[in-house]
Amino acid sequence: MTAASNAAQPAPNNEAWLELWAQRALPILQSTKSALTAYIGRTEAARVDQVVELVLRDPLLTAHALRHINQRRRTSMAADVVSIENVILLMGLEAFVNQFSQLPTVESLLLPKQQARYFSLLRHIATARLAARLAREFGLLRYDSRLDEIYVTALLADLPLLLRHLDAGLETPAPAVDIASVTFPLFARWRLPEAFNSLLDESSAASQRTMLHQSALRLADHLQLGWWQTGVADEVQLATQALAMPQFEVWALVCRSLLHFACDDWPYPQIFAPARWLPMLPGEWPKPAVKAPPKPAKTETPSLQDILRELQHAGQSGASFNQIMGLSIRAQADAIGLKRIVFGLLLAGQNLLKARYVVGASDDDPLRSFQVELSMPHLFTKLMLKPQSVWLNQANRSQFEALLPRGLRLAVGDGDFLAMSLFVEDKPVGIFYADNHGATISEAQYTAFKQVCLMAGQALTQQAKRLALGH
């Protein structure tokens, strides 16, 4: 490189560039602005989850909203706001829509003069959205309790690059900047949550969570150039090892994500989605099958993992108490295979557990009148002190039989049974009871039963927090 070409490249001035974007309103996509504007004057008919989904399709609006809320005056005890849902709850839906629908648009800034920059910006936004989807899918497989954090961090990982594209449309030339070194200073200047930094810090990718998150970012980038890239195979292998799953299942998840993104998640025909490379996968093209008479559809038994994911989503999306409990009982009956299931609700004023839901018991089954007094010390009283479980079986029957509540053995009959207390935050709600109607219970069933009860408690806790915020 000659001295002349060196002189043509101004030295980076990161501080000046950060100051330029310190308080400047971020432009948003025209499609986002149009959808937000449609809610003006009719927010009473809008659903928060619909607006959240709209915002999370636009990394620029996501960044602007999080910068706005995290720069508010707050006490030392106030936590960082990570999710767009909480931004809306803090501002109010009407104020959120009215304020952010007034933002300028990317198109008004870059078109028609900066068409190449505009298309490049769309490509990077598409990659960010794909990365966020892959990161969330990996998080779901880990039962991550902070999926919003994972999704938003992936969506904003290349935020400085997006802003650099917008520089071209500003009325005055923007300072030169070293994009690779300003991500963390930009997040700090905007007071974005510290959790974002820990997920993006490649020097500390020691945890499985951070490693999978960064793998999703790299995978989304490699897939833009085709599935045969060396980096794609490396990242799929890394995810396979971290998730302890067969490699073909991880690759199937990636393919589903690519197809969903291409069909349902990307409205800009100018930008080709990476799923365009999938038809080039090696192998024979399927031959048309001879049509056979249709067979009656078989109802597939849902897997435990599927229902656990449903439970996790139910807690995040504002499902009701009955919906969460219905999913919990369905998991125990259909996925785990337990024969009789009861949820005894705590009637605090009466110091009593009383059957609220009963599944698998006939009309004349004594289990239908399940009721446990908590005024005297016994096994169930101890269970209600904290989230804990018991598996009464042949090996420990002599130890626990004398500790059972009066009349319980008569009501439930002989054989093994499982019980676990359900808590919302630190408050007891009730107890799940399950058995195999006199038959033995396997260790795998007991382990799965505990998983379901814990996930139900987490979902109900999320629901309670939403209600506390006034949603």
Side-chain angles (χ1 to χ4, degrees), residues 348-370:
Q350 303 175 40
N351 206 21
L352 179 73
L353 289 170
K354 190 170 184 178
R356 172 72 181 271
Y357 304 98
V358 181
V359 172
S362 60
D363 292 341
D364 58 350
D365 192 323
L367 196 57
R368 286 201 165 271
S369 58
F370 178 92

Side-chain angles (χ1 to χ4, degrees), residues 326-341:
L327 282 171
S328 305
I329 292 171
R330 179 180 168 220
Q332 294 177 41
D334 294 347
I336 302 176
L338 296 166
K339 304 304 182 188
R340 298 190 303 177
I341 302 150

Side-chain angles (χ1 to χ4, degrees), residues 17-281:
W17 186 83
L18 290 168
E19 188 60 32
L20 170 72
W21 286 106
Q23 298 295 335
R24 181 183 291 268
L26 299 189
I28 60 177
L29 294 170
Q30 180 60 55
S31 57
T32 309
K33 185 180 178 76
S34 300
L36 272 181
T37 303
Y39 286 117
I40 295 177
R42 50 180 293 268
T43 51
E44 71 282 350
R47 285 177 20 208
V48 170
D49 61 324
Q50 291 175 328
V51 180
V52 169
E53 182 179 358
L54 166 66
V55 175
L56 290 178
R57 292 170 68 84
D58 189 336
L60 292 167
L61 178 53
T62 300
H64 187 91
L66 289 172
R67 180 181 71 176
H68 170 81
I69 206 69
N70 282 296
Q71 289 185 341
R72 75 197 189 283
R73 181 172 295 180
R74 50 182 174 164
T75 67
S76 59
M77 299 296 290
D80 290 338
V81 178
V82 175
S83 75
I84 294 299
E85 181 181 19
N86 285 341
V87 176
I88 295 174
L89 293 175
L90 287 167
M91 293 182 64
L93 184 56
E94 184 174 5
F96 183 94
V97 169
N98 289 342
Q99 179 167 335
F100 295 139
S101 62
Q102 303 304 313
L103 291 171
T105 65
V106 168
E107 286 78 1
S108 66
L109 195 67
L110 295 180
L111 296 180
K113 293 183 179 179
Q114 302 289 342
Q115 193 169 28
R117 286 275 189 170
Y118 175 63
F119 286 166
S120 181
L121 177 69
L122 289 183
R123 279 194 293 273
H124 286 293
I125 290 176
T127 303
R129 278 165 52 172
L130 178 59
R133 180 179 179 85
L134 289 171
R136 182 167 57 188
E137 290 292 339
F138 289 163
L140 280 168
L141 291 172
R142 295 184 60 253
Y143 305 113
D144 198 292
S145 60
R146 302 191 302 278
L147 289 176
D148 283 339
E149 186 177 289
I150 286 176
Y151 189 91
V152 173
T153 304
L155 195 66
L156 303 186
D158 278 336
L159 183 58
L161 188 58
L162 303 185
L163 297 181
R164 191 59 179 153
H165 280 78
L166 296 174
D167 285 347
L170 298 179
E171 59 279 3
T172 56
V177 61
D178 178 11
I179 289 296
S181 64
V182 292
T183 299
F184 295 156
L186 179 68
F187 285 7
R189 184 72 62 95
W190 289 7
R191 297 182 64 183
L192 296 186
E194 182 63 31
F196 295 172
N197 293 345
S198 60
L199 280 171
L200 293 175
D201 187 359
E202 294 185 359
S203 65
S204 62
S207 71
Q208 182 196 61
R209 185 174 193 253
T210 304
M211 181 175 62
L212 278 171
H213 189 273
Q214 294 178 8
S215 179
L217 298 180
R218 293 189 295 266
L219 188 56
D221 191 47
H222 294 319
L223 285 166
Q224 304 301 322
L225 300 176
W227 52 262
W228 56 86
Q229 303 301 317
T230 303
V232 173
D234 292 342
E235 300 305 333
V236 169
Q237 181 61 29
L238 187 153
T240 295
Q241 294 170 354
L243 294 168
M245 291 174 60
Q247 184 169 323
F248 75 90
E249 289 187 12
V250 175
W251 178 238
L253 180 149
V254 172
C255 290
R256 286 197 303 271
S257 298
L258 292 176
L259 290 171
H260 180 276
F261 182 80
C263 297
D264 303 321
D265 196 40
W266 187 243
Y268 295 97
Q270 311 97 309
I271 307 303
F272 297 117
R276 70 190 185 276
W277 302 115
L278 291 180
M280 298 173 63
L281 283 168

Side-chain angles (χ1 to χ4, degrees), residues 281-294:
L281 283 168
E284 294 183 0
W285 286 93
K287 297 178 181 178
V290 178
K291 290 187 177 180

